Amino acid sequence: KTFGDVAIHYNAMPTDELLPEVAKNYKIERSRNRGMLTISILKRTNLGVSQASKGEVKVHIPTLTGQSVEVPMREIVEGAAIYYIGEYRVTAPQTLKFVVSAKPEGGDRALSFDFSRQFYK
């Protein structure tokens, strides 16, 4: 998703698709009933190059009953890469809607969008 000079990359997937060593490294439980969300914020520099940026990332999943489940996000920094990961419960088959709010470090406002992901297994 692009907002001017800021791009937000996102993905949602079942944690049982992670390699065991990756799940262990990030302390993520591999399960058909768990999902993992990744969000990264990229800002375009004056030279036109995209660079990872820290920020404040909030995500929630609206439920069918009108409630909202917050997805706790944690920051991961690996060299020049910065991203945020969160885990949530999923019962397949199910379609989840994710509502994302990301405020890049130094930004004056949060950038908001939503996306849906179908889980089949």
Side-chain angles (χ1 to χ4, degrees), residues 74-101:
R74 55 188 166 114
E75 182 180 85
I76 307 290
V77 178
E78 294 179 336
I82 303 166
Y83 50 97
Y84 299 84
I85 61 174
E87 295 178 72
Y88 50 89
R89 293 198 53 75
V90 62
T91 306
Q94 183 178 29
T95 299
L96 293 178
K97 178 180 177 180
F98 300 90
V99 180
V100 179
S101 172

Side-chain angles (χ1 to χ4, degrees), residues 15 25 34 39-40 68 85 88 97 111-112 115:
T15 60
N25 187 43
R34 306 235 358 123
I39 306 275
S40 60
S68 183
I85 61 174
Y88 50 89
K97 178 180 177 180
L111 308 171
S112 300
F115 71 97

Side-chain angles (χ1 to χ4, degrees), residues 18 20-30 34 74 76 85 87:
L18 292 172
E21 56 273 13
V22 172
K24 182 179 178 183
N25 187 43
Y26 292 103
K27 298 175 179 66
I28 295 171
E29 177 187 342
R30 293 180 74 237
R34 306 235 358 123
R74 55 188 166 114
I76 307 290
I85 61 174
E87 295 178 72

